[in-house]
């Protein structure tokens, strides 16, 4: 493993972070025994960055992870991250979301389940649309100063909100946002429009989630059947939920080219898809998910895949996001005119 810094912090993180969302989930996830084996295999391979959330399997994911780390005595080796936002109980608006009251209460519950007295990274899980950014950032700062948290991050927020958080933190001398956790894969590249440029400009690392699009990019699904997709796995399980994705013509075209490139390289499609994500600008560490140890093995093999400039260029073009307004005005043909015909690059 070649470690990278997480954004502009001094935290050294492996290129692949282990996602613990599958741990303890009884529908599309994995049981405790396999979860433990996945953690052991990841740490033995040199991995050091593990991600969970208070809401994963209603807290079971944190409990399993806490037990493995406590029993193995390896807590201190790990950059341990969890998240708040998910409601801790129904019917109480202050027991969910991103207000100070819920952040502090969620943290105490997570620390107890994780059997630790500090987190290396604490994430806001999802923008709740209402809490002022100053309340979130000042609470984060207090937690860092109290020694309960080493670094802080934002997941699933609009880019404008992340930029505002970072600028408010700088203005007040608060702990800055270390990283943004966002969905990013060959078939979901929306963040390239706003989040990636904001992260690069404001010094926030990117930590992509669902880099295999919930397993779609492993190549184990084909077109067909009544639903238009054949194959077993989480993608099928999610189709009935609000998180299910209706795969487009473009998704299938991306997958076909990905499989072609993987064959040329003698690698698995998952390895090529993961290697592409890790190579993208601004990415600090990519979250890998696995339901079995064999899947984790396959995914870690991406570290040995070397994509040529030609492969990267082919993959880059596949699912490039459409140039919606105003980005359609920022292409070289237009900007050159603004510069009197000259080509001008940023310093
Ligand atoms: N911040 C957020 O909102 C957010 C949201 C989602 C995830 N996350 C984080 O990101 C992590 C990774 O996300 P993800 O689990 O969605 O990632 P993913 O890599 O897109 O999907 C993982 C799933 O794909 C299948 N799979 C993985 N590797 C495979 C392989 N080599 N061969 C065949 N199938 C394979 C498995 O499901 P099946 O075996 O069932 O097909 C596995 O559970 C999570 O654990 C979590 O920490 C964060």
């Amino acid at each position: 493993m070649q470690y990278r810094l997480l954004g502009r912090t001094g935290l050294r993180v492996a290129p692949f972070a282990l996602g613990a969302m599958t741990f303890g989930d009884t529908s599309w996830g994995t049981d405790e025994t396999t979860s433990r084996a996945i953690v052991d295999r990841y740490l033995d391979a040199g991995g050091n960055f593990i991600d969970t959330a208070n809401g994963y399997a209603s807290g079971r994911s944190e409990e399993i992870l806490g037990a493995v780390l406590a029993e193995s005595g390896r807590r201190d080796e790990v950059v341990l991250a969890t998240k708040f936002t998910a409601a801790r109980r129904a019917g109480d608006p202050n027991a969910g979301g991103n207000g100070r009251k819920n952040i502090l209460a969620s943290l105490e519950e997570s620390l107890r389940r994780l059997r630790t007295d500090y987190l290396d990274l604490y994430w806001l899980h999802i923008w709740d649309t209402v809490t002022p950014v100053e309340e979130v950032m000042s609470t984060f700062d207090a937690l860092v100063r109290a020694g309960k948290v080493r670094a802080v991050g934002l997941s699933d927020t609009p880019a404008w909100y992340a930029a505002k958080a970072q600028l408010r933190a700088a203005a007040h001398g608060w702990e800055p946002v270390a990283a943004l956790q966002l969905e990013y894969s060959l078939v979901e590249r929306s963040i390239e429009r706003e989040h990636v440029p904001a992260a690069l400009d404001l010094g926030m690392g990117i930590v992509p989630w669902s880099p295999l699009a919930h397993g779609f990019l492993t190549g184990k699904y084909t077109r067909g059947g009544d639903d238009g997709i054949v194959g077993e796995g989480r993608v099928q399980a999610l189709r009935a939920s609000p998180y299910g994705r209706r795969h487009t013509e473009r998704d299938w075209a991306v997958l076909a080219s990905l499989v072609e490139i993987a064959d040329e390289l003698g690698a698995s499609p998952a390895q090529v898809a993961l290697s592409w994500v890790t190579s993208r600008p601004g990415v600090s560490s990519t979250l890998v998910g696995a339901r079995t140890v064999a899947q984790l093995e396959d995914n870690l093999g991406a570290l040995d895949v070397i994509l040529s400039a030609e492969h990267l260029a082919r993959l880059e073009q596949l699912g490039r996001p459409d140039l919606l307004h105003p980005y359609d005005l920022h292409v070289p043909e237009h900007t050159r005119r603004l510069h009197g015909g000259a080509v001008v690059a940023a310093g």
Side-chain angles (χ1 to χ4, degrees), residues 19-22 51 56 83 125 155-156 181 209-215 218 220-221 233-234 270 287-291 295 298-299:
M21 189 172 73
T22 45
D51 179 83
Y56 292 168
K83 318 183 190 80
H125 198 159
S155 159
D156 304 342
Q181 186 176 142
W209 60 260
S210 291
L212 298 177
H214 301 285
T218 62
K220 66 182 175 185
Y221 299 96
R234 192 201 302 169
L287 280 156
V288 291
R291 194 177 45 76
Q295 289 178 352
D298 182 25
N299 298 345

Side-chain angles (χ1 to χ4, degrees), residues 268-283:
S268 70
Q271 290 170 348
V272 175
L274 289 169
S275 185
W276 177 82
V277 175
T278 59
S279 75
R280 299 300 292 162
V283 170

